[in-house]
Structure formats: structure tokens, C-alpha cells
Amino acid sequence: MLYTEQVIKHFKKPHNQGVIKNADAIGQKGNLACGDVMKIYLKIGKKKNGHESENFIKNIKFETLGCAAAIAVSSALTDRIKGMTFKEALAVNKDDIVNDLGGLPAPKIHCSMLGLEALHEAIENYDKK
Ligand code: FES
């Protein structure tokens, strides 16, 4: 399987690429097998949910040093989770991202984990604050 049109589009013009200065949380993950690295920056807001308020992802940016699939995954992931509460964002799995991209070649499926792992770490880091 070759890269889909969606992968190529996200790779050529990634969405949400860059740094958030004064980010509320940062997560970074590397893939030991290939050496690729992804860093996620989050800006967090509060959403009212009845009497409670919930954290949500107001803004998200990424920096990825990696393969075409890792960059496309980062772009699609950040598009999908912007505006989500932490609970919603943590429920997103690799199949959601692979589907958003119209599929990934089998040897590249592992690349979809990098973004999710960096996101989970950023949320964990925020919760530890
Ligand atoms: Fe390393 Fe894709 S080959 S994340």
C-alpha cells in the first residue's frame, strides 16, 4: 500500500506545526526503533460541565523529527483533538488517526503511536502540576 492522498496532503502542509510559547504542558516521545521524535505543546482552557469545570485543549502544536507518516499523523491528530476535553482526547486511539488518514501502509502503523504517546505524556505532565 502506498501513502493515501490524505497522508500526502498532511505531510506537505502539516496543520498545527510549531511551538506554543508559554505552553501549559509539553509531552515528548521518541521511537527507539527508528529514532523519530515528537513533541506536543498544549494550551489548556476550562469548559463548564454542569457545576464542574473540565480541562480542554484550547490549542495544540507539534514538532516532529520523523518520517512522512509520523508528520501526517501529528497533523491529523492535532486537528482531531483541538477543542476536546482531556477525557475525550485520551479516548482517541491509533485506529481513529489511521482512519482519518485513509489508512497507513502496514510497516508504518507503529508511527501512529508516537503522536498519541506524546499527547498522553503532555496531559499527564499537566495533571502533575
Ligand atoms: Fe519512525 Fe515512522 S519510521 S515514526
Side-chain angles (χ1 to χ4, degrees):
M1 180 189 181
L2 297 174
Y3 285 132
T4 63
E5 229 174 85
Q6 291 99 307
V7 171
I8 293 166
K9 267 193 199 159
H10 278 284
F11 171 64
K12 285 191 172 168
K13 280 196 179 173
H15 306 164
N16 310 304
Q17 193 173 31
V19 172
I20 298 179
K21 284 187 185 155
N22 306 319
D24 295 317
I26 296 175
Q28 182 170 319
K29 276 289 166 183
N31 183 326
L32 288 179
C34 64
D36 291 354
V37 178
M38 180 185 185
K39 201 166 179 180
I40 287 243
Y41 300 84
L42 298 180
K43 207 73 194 159
I44 308 301
K46 297 268 181 203
K47 255 185 196 172
K48 278 235 178 245
N49 184 1
H51 293 296
E52 315 239 309
S53 72
E54 261 186 278
N55 292 325
F56 83 101
I57 297 166
K58 210 161 136 189
N59 197 11
I60 178 165
K61 293 225 182 249
F62 76 89
E63 289 181 301
T64 295
L65 291 172
C67 68
I71 290 169
V73 161
S74 307
S75 175
L77 172 73
T78 52
D79 270 355
R80 181 181 261 270
I81 66 168
K82 200 189 269 189
M84 283 185 171
T85 63
F86 279 5
K87 205 172 153 195
E88 290 165 339
L90 289 170
V92 171
N93 62 39
K94 80 170 174 15
D95 294 338
D96 296 323
I97 307 302
V98 172
N99 287 338
D100 287 347
L101 291 169
L104 279 175
K108 291 288 175 184
I109 295 288
H110 75 274
C111 309
S112 60
M113 290 310 294
L114 197 59
L116 285 169
E117 287 172 3
L119 170 69
H120 289 193
E121 183 167 296
I123 290 177
E124 241 173 64
N125 287 343
Y126 182 79
D127 282 338
K128 273 190 220 152
K129 272 186 176 180

